[in-house]
């Protein structure tokens, strides 16, 4: 009889251990499922972030392209301004030279508006004035 009682006691003990291990396994399975759901959410978030990063990189590239375009335009404007400044300085220099020699300039003016030519300047004088105008590309 002792053996039967020992076996029943052992059976009850093993049954209790089995139930505990089954409960632990169920708990572990629930944790695994929770972790799998979390991993799935994180993967989706990673994909969203990758997509946002791609869009941000595209916007950055577009911004760099626009900056380069604006810089080229600015460089062209600076070059044009410098060219116009050189032309202006040249014309100012010519004007100063003409003002320093008033006899020649006065003779040209008086010839242009003399009583023999009451209609105004001759075509040669118009051509000279055109040369003094700024050349804008």
């Amino acid at each position: 009889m002792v053996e039967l009682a020992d076996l029943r006691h052992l059976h009850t003990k093993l049954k209790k251990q089995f139930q505990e291990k089954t409960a632990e396994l169920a708990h572990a399975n629930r944790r695994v499922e929770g972790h799998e759901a979390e991993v799935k959410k994180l993967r989706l978030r990673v994909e969203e972030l990758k997509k946002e990063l791609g869009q941000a990189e595209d916007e950055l590239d577009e911004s760099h392209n626009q900056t380069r375009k604006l810089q080229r335009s600015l460089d062209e404007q600076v070059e044009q301004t410098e060219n116009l400044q050189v032309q202006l300085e040249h014309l100012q220099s010519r004007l100063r030279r003409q003002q320093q020699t008033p006899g020649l300039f006065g003779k040209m003016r008086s010839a242009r508006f003399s009583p023999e030519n009451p209609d105004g300047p001759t075509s040669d004088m118009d051509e000279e004035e055109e040369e003094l105008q700024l050349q804008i590309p």
Side-chain angles (χ1 to χ4, degrees), residues 24-38:
E24 285 179 29
L25 181 61
H27 178 69
N29 283 336
R30 284 190 300 274
R31 287 182 60 204
V32 166
E33 290 171 0
H35 290 307
E36 287 174 346
E38 188 176 344

Side-chain angles (χ1 to χ4, degrees), residues 108-109 111-114 117-126 129:
M108 288 175 22
R109 295 271 290 165
R112 286 176 65 192
F113 295 103
S114 68
N117 191 7
D119 295 331
T122 63
S123 62
D124 291 341
M125 299 309 287
D126 288 338
E129 284 182 2

Side-chain angles (χ1 to χ4, degrees), residues 55-103:
Q55 291 172 344
E57 288 174 340
D58 291 345
E59 290 174 10
L60 181 62
D61 288 344
E62 181 61 30
S63 178
H64 284 299
N65 290 339
Q66 186 67 20
T67 301
R68 283 191 290 273
K69 182 179 177 182
L70 289 170
Q71 184 62 50
R72 279 193 304 273
S73 177
L74 176 62
D75 292 344
E76 290 170 1
Q77 293 294 323
V78 166
E79 182 180 356
Q80 185 178 15
T81 301
E82 289 171 351
N83 290 338
L84 289 172
Q85 184 64 36
V86 167
Q87 286 182 10
L88 177 63
E89 289 170 2
H90 176 72
L91 290 172
Q92 288 173 337
S93 173
R94 284 182 66 183
L95 181 61
R96 279 192 299 274
R97 280 195 312 262
Q98 285 180 352
Q99 288 174 346
Q100 289 172 357
T101 56

